[in-house]
């Protein structure tokens, strides 16, 4: 292999340690992006699942008239988010009926697109396209955003990495508000098809009591439609400051809950999330996660991060503290995506991500936090690496 990739990163041993080979490939694809040939893209959007931007856009460039895969699978089952970048050397091509990933110089492995769910071409009883209400994340996680709205944009105080408004304006691919009935019907179809194992749900910045009421109605509708008492999956509402509010979320019937803290370092949190940090302090976030562990049980409360904006040291401090209280962490790999304030910047190298996530996995493993995979697993999304690093360390 060459000594450097096109960004100048050293990659002498890249992909050669079989224990971490697919973790390294995934980290490289998430930080550099990739392209696919027209032959490889045949059937994407019909037979194979295409992107349908439910909330954010994660590509390096917009592609309004081109259907590209949402995510794909590596030979060991690792799920990778497709982040389109025409400048990347990584390419997926169709050869002899197989999809082959190469780095511009040599082939790395075969990959598989994921099947398009049947519900993507169905309508709810109210006549709405189901795909405009919910989308399958990764191989098995049904995603809903009950309201695509965030008040921080109006004051120009949105999180620097966020492209919610621009994604919605560019693709207009989802309904901005969805009813509990419509969401329940989509869940019924998705679970009936058999691929869906979990849900993940988030929403806009609503007043806390209104959000609790709305989420409870939605979870109740999902439970009724899928015929289960409790719903496997995770909701990501605004932090609930009172313990009784968290109890109401639990009583709604959802099994897991998470809060999007984004950045552990407090000063960086204020700088990167100017609006959010005014409404919820770092300490209030941590308190919410602690209360969530008490109510939902160890492993079923999550803190969500955008990894790659703060130093490894503070990120790992966060992992250490959250693991010590029995919480799990879901760190998404930062994409400097179009329409965000950080568009055009660059994420850390893939080596940084691999090292950091393996260290994070060691911390989580030694703290003995239950993996929480009944509610969110490595097949649920392709844009985080910690589940994959935990698998490397034997935790699934
Ligand atoms: S809180 Fe931040 S990340 Fe969430 S939608 Fe608003 S700006 Fe985006």
């Amino acid at each position: 292999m060459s000594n450097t990739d096109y960004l100048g990163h050293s990659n002498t041993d890249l992909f050669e340690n079989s224990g971490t080979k697919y973790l390294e490939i995934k980290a490289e694809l998430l930080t550099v992006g990739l392209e696919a040939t027209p032959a490889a893209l045949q059937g994407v959007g019909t037979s194979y699942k295409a992107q349908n931007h439910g909330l954010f856009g994660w590509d390096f460039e917009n592609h309004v008239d081109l259907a590209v895969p949402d995510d794909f699978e590596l030979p060991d089952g690792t799920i990778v988010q497709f982040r389109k970048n025409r400048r990347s050397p990584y390419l997926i091509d169709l050869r002899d009926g197989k999809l082959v990933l190469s780095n511009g110089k040599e082939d790395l492995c075969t990959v598989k697109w994921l099947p398009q769910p049947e519900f993507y071409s169905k309508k709810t009883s109210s006549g709405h396209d189901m795909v405009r209400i919910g989308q399958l994340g990764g191989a098995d996680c049904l995603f809903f955003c009950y309201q695509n709205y965030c008040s921080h944009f109006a004051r120009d105080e949105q999180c620097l990495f966020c492209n919610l408004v621009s994604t919605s304006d560019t693709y207009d691919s989802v309904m901005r508000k969805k009813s509990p009935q419509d969401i329940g019907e989509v869940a019924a179809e998705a679970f009936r098809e058999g691929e869906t194992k979990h849900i993940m749900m988030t929403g806009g910045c609503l007043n806390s009591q209104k959000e609790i009421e709305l989420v409870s109605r939605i979870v109740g509708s999902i439970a009724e439609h899928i015929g289960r008492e409790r719903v496997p999956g995770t909701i990501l509402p605004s932090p609930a400051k009172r313990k009784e509010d968290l109890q109401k979320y639990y009583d709604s019937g959802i099994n897991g809950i998470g809060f999007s803290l984004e950045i552990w370092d407090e000063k960086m949190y204020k700088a990167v999330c100017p609006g959010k940090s005014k409404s919820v302090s770092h300490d209030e976030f941590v308190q919410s996660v602690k209360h969530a562990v008490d109510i939902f049980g160890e492993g079923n409360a999550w803190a969500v991060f955008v990894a790659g904006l703060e130093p490894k040291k503070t990120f790992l401090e966060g992992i250490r503290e959250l693991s010590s209280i029995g919480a799990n962490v879901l760190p998404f790999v930062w994409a400097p995506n179009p329409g965000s304030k950080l568009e055009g910047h660059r994420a850390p190298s893939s080596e940084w991500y691999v090292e950091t996530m393996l260290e994070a996995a060691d911390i989580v493993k030694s703290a003995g936090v239950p993996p929480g995979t009944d509610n969110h697993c490595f097949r649920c999304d392709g844009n985080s690496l910690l589940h994959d690093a935990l698998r490397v360390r034997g935790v699934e």
Side-chain angles (χ1 to χ4, degrees):
M1 292 187 78
S2 70
N3 290 331
T4 57
D5 65 17
Y6 89 120
L7 292 173
H9 303 142
S10 160
N11 64 2
T12 309
D13 295 315
L14 201 61
F15 313 145
E16 287 175 8
N17 175 352
S18 59
T20 55
K21 172 179 173 176
Y22 294 115
L23 180 70
E24 292 174 17
I25 290 179
K26 178 171 175 178
E28 185 72 359
L29 295 173
L30 291 182
T31 50
V32 175
L34 78 165
E35 191 55 290
T37 63
L41 291 176
Q42 280 171 29
V44 172
T46 50
S47 306
Y48 305 113
K49 181 161 68 95
Q51 291 182 3
N52 189 83
H53 303 83
L55 184 57
F56 306 128
W58 296 85
D59 300 288
F60 286 67
E61 61 205 29
N62 289 327
H63 53 89
V64 181
D65 297 320
L66 180 70
V68 302
D70 202 9
D71 28 39
F72 55 96
E73 190 176 331
L74 300 183
D76 72 337
T78 296
I79 302 294
V80 185
Q81 185 174 53
F82 190 98
R83 295 182 171 181
K84 186 178 182 321
N85 181 6
R86 81 188 71 175
R87 296 176 61 231
S88 168
Y90 293 98
L91 182 73
I92 295 177
D93 193 11
L94 183 69
R95 277 191 251 138
D96 300 328
K98 286 188 177 153
L99 294 169
V100 179
L101 171 69
S102 67
N103 62 6
K105 298 186 181 82
E106 60 187 329
D107 295 344
L108 301 176
C109 61
T110 55
V111 304
K112 282 186 197 157
W113 301 146
L114 299 171
Q116 172 117 317
E118 289 170 27
F119 77 83
Y120 273 34
S121 52
K122 294 185 177 170
K123 289 184 187 292
T124 63
S125 59
S126 59
H128 295 127
D129 292 328
M130 288 191 172
V131 69
R132 290 178 63 81
I133 293 164
Q135 302 82 36
L136 195 65
D140 69 359
C141 186
L142 183 61
F143 175 78
F144 296 109
C145 176
Y146 38 87
Q147 182 164 288
N148 292 63
Y149 168 77
C150 175
S151 58
H152 301 316
F153 283 85
R155 289 187 289 274
D156 197 29
E157 290 183 338
Q158 67 267 37
C159 306
L160 303 190
F161 54 81
C162 180
N163 68 352
L164 174 119
V165 169
S166 138
T167 303
S168 179
D169 291 347
T170 303
Y171 296 100
D172 189 25
S173 53
V174 291
M175 292 168 64
R176 295 194 184 194
K177 270 191 189 178
K178 296 96 175 167
S179 73
Q181 175 66 23
D182 274 351
I183 289 177
E185 288 182 24
V186 174
E189 265 313 297
F191 276 84
R192 188 195 57 73
E193 285 175 27
E195 296 296 328
T196 299
K197 302 283 184 289
H198 310 124
I199 69 146
M200 176 164 273
M201 189 164 76
T202 189
C205 301
L206 299 170
N207 128 342
S208 163
Q209 291 311 309
K210 270 195 185 155
E211 189 168 23
I212 293 168
E213 204 180 288
L214 178 60
V215 169
S216 298
R217 279 197 286 131
I218 293 172
V219 174
S221 174
I222 294 173
E224 187 188 325
H225 279 88
I226 66 173
R228 298 193 198 178
E229 221 164 277
R230 297 201 66 85
V231 176
T234 307
I235 52 169
L236 304 176
S238 315
K241 294 178 188 169
R242 302 180 316 163
K243 219 168 173 178
E244 55 264 39
D245 292 339
L246 280 158
Q247 186 65 46
K248 286 182 193 161
Y249 279 125
Y250 183 79
D251 292 344
S252 76
I254 189 72
N255 276 345
I257 192 166
F259 301 112
S260 300
L261 177 49
E262 322 289 14
I263 306 283
W264 182 258
D265 180 84
E266 202 166 348
K267 286 186 186 136
M268 284 196 79
Y269 168 56
K270 286 182 181 159
V272 174
C273 307
K276 186 190 264 207
S277 58
K278 277 186 193 160
S279 47
V280 191
S281 72
H282 173 101
D283 287 349
E284 284 168 332
F285 259 114
V286 176
Q287 201 57 33
S288 294
V289 175
K290 277 186 182 154
H291 288 158
V293 173
D294 291 344
I295 291 169
F296 284 76
E298 288 199 1
N300 296 323
W302 301 77
V304 180
F305 284 85
V306 177
L309 285 163
E310 69 182 309
K312 178 175 158 187
K313 181 173 177 287
T314 56
F315 173 76
L316 292 178
E317 280 168 13
I319 300 279
R320 207 165 281 115
E321 183 159 339
L322 291 160
S323 299
S324 75
I325 60 170
N328 267 309
V329 175
L330 189 53
F332 294 123
V333 173
W334 170 46
N337 41 23
S340 71
K341 291 203 171 190
L342 292 175
E343 175 177 357
H345 288 235
R346 282 179 174 176
S349 66
S350 60
E351 291 91 333
W352 183 91
Y353 278 103
V354 170
E355 271 175 34
T356 304
M357 293 306 153
L358 286 171
E359 281 187 45
D362 289 337
I363 294 168
V364 173
K365 186 177 177 184
S366 68
V369 184
T373 44
D374 291 346
N375 297 320
H376 195 272
C377 71
F378 81 97
R379 306 273 293 166
C380 282
D381 58 54
N383 52 0
S384 87
L385 293 163
L386 186 50
H387 276 306
D388 306 289
L390 281 162
R391 285 172 70 219
V392 169
R393 294 298 194 235
V395 179
E396 288 197 41

